[in-house]
Amino acid sequence: MTVTEDEPEPLTDSTISTKPKYECLEDLPGVGPATSKKLQEMGFHTIESLATATARELEPAGISEKKALDVIRLARGSITLSFTRADELLKQRQTISRLTTGSAILDNLLGGGLETQTITEFYGEYGSGKSQLCHQLCVDVQLPVEQGGLNGAALYIDTENTFRTERLVSMAEHLNLNPEQVARNVIVADAYTSDHQVFLLENSDKIIKQNNIRLIVVDSLTSHFRSEYIGRETLAVRQQKLNKHMHKLIRLARAFNAVAVVTNQVMAKPDVFFGDAVHPIGGHVVAHTSHTRVYLRESARGPVRIARLVSSPYLPDGEGIFKITINGIEEVEEGESKGRR
Ligand code: GTP
Ligand code: MG
């Protein structure tokens, strides 16, 4: 997927091999204290976020398009991020890591866990387990790599006030992790409106960098947008905002090699009598920007949930089951899975 539309010119071998390292905005040639201040006010606090910006986005800082392109190019050169040749792209893909869900079946369905640098979307009805999975991932991300974690922290943007530290504690105890430590490594941001949600993500780069955040959760991606933008005439604006928001998320995920997870509700399809009578909200924007989409639904067996991989750039569609218990997301034992789907 192309994230940046107005790319600076491709990097050559010499720019790749002699790239300088810049630590903060003011280290960049041509960025003085005033521009740096403006950029930071606009949410660009780190070299990583500048490296994934477009020239148009930097315009409000009062810099020319040419200067913006220069700054972006220097920032990109500084942090192994922007490659244009296929062999280099392959190198970038090799830096992708995977995060366990706590269920081997679900991990297998996802090709070995949730991958960094892309967006994974979990959608489903009320109580299907979206938020529980997000909580579990916040704990799992802290595990060492050998145990399926990323040895990092989590950022949780909570739009529905459903984040509960108590759940992290139960899940951490089950994994023999120190619950206090686990809770300290999860940074929660309550988003009160869609604008606030966008603002929080736009300004999260510094927090992500300083706290070694390797998982960014937006739970739920769409609830505010859905309740604030009612009626056909507001749809275009809503979709535009949602698109920009998701692209910011992709850029953060790529810049910090983090897993990005969003949750999404479903809407009934009034004209469908057989098969899936629901579809995720957010239309084409969410459908095309989420790299991996997983549909969660309840089963006839209480805690057992069914996950269906609906869309992935390279994996076949498929289904798997897991269960939600006091311990978190767990494997379904032999015999437990029988029952009507
Ligand atoms: P919405 O956000 O309302 O769309 O739903 P969701 O998909 O986020 O659902 P959520 O992840 O909150 O799942 C809620 C379900 O998880 C509950 O109905 C319970 O079945 C289960 N659950 C939540 N907490 C616990 C717990 O502490 N113990 C057990 N055993 N199950 C739990
Ligand atoms: Mg939820």
Side-chain angles (χ1 to χ4, degrees):
M1 171 172 305
T2 309
V3 175
T4 47
E5 294 119 8
D6 34 8
E7 304 269 328
E9 70 272 19
L11 295 177
T12 62
D13 273 341
S14 65
T15 54
I16 291 171
S17 57
T18 59
K19 58 180 179 288
K21 290 279 172 207
Y22 301 109
E23 293 290 326
C24 64
L25 302 197
E26 286 183 37
D27 289 348
L28 290 164
V31 176
T35 310
S36 160
K37 187 163 174 275
K38 274 189 219 142
L39 287 170
Q40 297 199 40
E41 280 166 9
M42 287 159 54
F44 297 101
H45 301 280
T46 59
I47 300 288
E48 285 86 346
S49 63
L50 271 186
T52 49
T54 62
R56 220 175 312 137
E57 282 179 318
L58 304 192
E59 249 170 46
I63 56 178
S64 68
E65 191 185 346
K66 184 182 174 307
K67 188 168 163 189
L69 287 172
D70 282 346
V71 165
I72 293 167
R73 197 192 60 236
L74 288 167
R76 287 186 181 182
S78 183
I79 61 152
T80 12
L81 175 77
S82 173
F83 301 110
T84 49
R85 297 187 319 247
D87 59 336
E88 296 292 349
L89 280 173
L90 185 63
K91 269 190 207 164
Q92 191 183 351
R93 266 210 69 80
Q94 282 162 356
T95 64
I96 287 178
S97 310
R98 290 189 179 273
L99 171 61
T100 183
T101 59
S103 150
I105 294 176
L106 197 48
D107 286 354
N108 285 340
L109 188 71
L110 297 168
L114 278 76
E115 64 174 29
T116 57
Q117 303 182 25
T118 57
I119 296 181
T120 302
E121 173 193 352
F122 291 108
Y123 71 86
E125 283 174 0
Y126 166 82
S128 57
K130 304 180 291 290
S131 298
Q132 291 302 311
L133 250 169
C134 292
H135 281 70
Q136 182 70 58
L137 292 167
C138 288
V139 178
D140 295 349
V141 72
Q142 303 185 37
L143 291 167
V145 174
E146 312 82 73
Q147 291 177 40
L150 296 172
N151 221 348
L155 172 66
Y156 199 115
I157 297 182
D158 182 13
T159 73
E160 298 181 303
N161 197 17
T162 51
F163 178 85
R164 295 290 176 272
T165 307
E166 301 87 296
R167 283 303 281 148
L168 291 187
V169 169
S170 313
M171 292 170 179
E173 280 169 349
H174 179 65
L175 292 173
N176 291 322
L177 297 172
N178 176 340
E180 269 178 37
Q181 184 78 37
V182 165
R184 245 199 313 274
N185 283 331
V186 181
I187 293 170
V188 185
D190 283 322
Y192 304 113
T193 62
S194 67
D195 278 339
H196 189 214
Q197 177 182 334
V198 167
F199 173 85
L200 287 169
L201 197 70
E202 294 284 334
N203 287 281
S204 61
D205 62 335
K206 207 168 173 179
I207 286 172
I208 293 172
K209 187 169 185 164
Q210 283 173 348
N211 294 280
N212 184 30
I213 282 170
R214 302 294 306 282
L215 168 69
I216 308 165
V217 174
V218 184
D219 180 23
S220 118
L221 172 72
T222 46
S223 60
H224 283 317
F225 287 91
R226 187 186 199 181
S227 60
E228 290 167 26
Y229 293 87
I230 302 160
R232 284 220 149 266
E233 67 285 1
T234 64
L235 198 62
V237 179
R238 181 189 90 170
Q239 292 305 88
Q240 224 170 9
K241 256 178 89 173
L242 205 46
N243 189 34
K244 197 161 171 245
H245 186 47
M246 289 192 80
H247 276 90
K248 178 72 189 181
L249 185 58
I250 296 175
R251 287 183 218 178
L252 290 168
R254 290 182 62 186
F256 297 99
N257 198 12
V259 170
V261 173
V262 300
T263 66
N264 193 5
Q265 281 96 357
V266 291
M267 242 166 61
K269 280 191 215 163
D271 50 343
V272 171
F273 296 98
F274 301 102
D276 282 329
V278 295
H279 66 102
I281 65 171
H284 293 301
V285 164
V286 177
H288 293 154
T289 325
S290 298
H291 303 89
T292 305
R293 311 191 91 184
V294 183
Y295 173 36
L296 300 180
R297 62 189 202 277
E298 291 190 78
S299 72
R301 286 285 168 119
V304 176
R305 298 291 186 276
I306 304 158
R308 185 195 301 168
L309 182 65
V310 176
S311 147
S312 155
Y314 52 89
L315 294 167
D317 291 359
E319 275 195 353
I321 50 173
F322 65 92
K323 64 178 176 179
I324 309 172
T325 73
I326 182 73
N327 299 327
I329 302 304
E330 288 199 286
E331 214 64 86
V332 176
E333 309 298 331
E334 270 301 300
E336 247 181 322
S337 60
K338 296 203 179 74
R340 197 172 51 82
R341 293 252 176 117

